[in-house]
Amino acid sequence: MRVILVRLVLALALGLLVASGYIRAGFLDIPNRLNPFTPLRIADDVSWLTRWKLSRLERDGAQCLAVLDGSQVSHRIVPDRASEEGCGLSNAVEVSQSSVRLSGSFTATCPLTVAWALFEQHVLLPAAREHLGQNIVSVMHFGTYACRNINHRAGGRRSEHATANAIDIAGFVLANGQQITVKGDWAGGDTHQRAFLRTLRDGACRFFDVVLSPNYNEAHYNHFHFDMGSYRACR
């Protein structure tokens, strides 16, 4: 029985390898949404391949920048900065605006910026219309790059902020001028505001590697932490 199972697994792996070769060469015509080799586009519907395509951008800086060039994110390339004591920049961009206004420009790795653009397009904007009945016009954030350890501890490992691979989101401004903040509305908001913020937390986990909310610990009582690090967490 074990021999048969091993043969089936090997046959499946071989079949997938052959099929991927045909797809890559263009011999098999499949819809773009099902083609793993079609470049990621922010505007495309999210599918089970989106996350895989996003992860590929961490190893392909040129393709990552090409994805941003085809998006609504206003950005410029930031020169790499050699890592010093665990802090530095690589394949980073400075973002001045996306499809909404930002409380300030920020510098972030290209993959983090693409993940943010996906989150904004497919989670943030639809959630505001669903739960609050209006559009988001601005995002308030606490920044991205900071050469420090996790939770500002004196010891321990570096935060993803140390390489601009994380962003902290404090709140949002609606079209009518109302502000929805993590600090004030995660627990203190009305039913719609609380549902909106929890939808953002859950939806962010589709694109970011680590998503931390006030449910995680007291250090995150006033913001969401999103990063593209080597760990996975959705809290």
Side-chain angles (χ1 to χ4, degrees), residues 152-169:
H152 299 273
R153 297 189 183 114
R157 62 184 178 86
R158 287 299 195 190
S159 166
E160 291 298 322
H161 286 288
T163 53
N165 204 30
I167 186 169
D168 290 338
I169 303 299

Side-chain angles (χ1 to χ4, degrees), residues 88-103:
L89 296 176
S90 178
N91 190 29
V93 295
E94 181 181 350
V95 178
S96 56
Q97 187 173 329
S98 51
S99 61
V100 298
R101 294 193 303 272
L102 302 170
S103 59

Side-chain angles (χ1 to χ4, degrees), residues 150-195:
I150 293 176
N151 290 335
H152 299 273
R153 297 189 183 114
R157 62 184 178 86
R158 287 299 195 190
S159 166
E160 291 298 322
H161 286 288
T163 53
N165 204 30
I167 186 169
D168 290 338
I169 303 299
F172 312 90
V173 180
L174 305 180
N176 66 357
Q178 180 185 7
Q179 293 187 3
I180 306 295
T181 66
V182 177
K183 179 180 178 180
D185 298 309
W186 179 262
D190 63 27
T191 302
H192 300 291
Q193 293 162 350
R194 294 197 303 271

Side-chain angles (χ1 to χ4, degrees), residues 107-130:
T107 297
T109 62
C110 183
L112 178 71
T113 307
V114 171
W116 170 260
L118 286 165
F119 166 78
E120 186 179 280
Q121 179 76 24
H122 299 286
V123 179
L124 175 60
L125 301 183
R129 290 189 288 267
E130 176 185 354

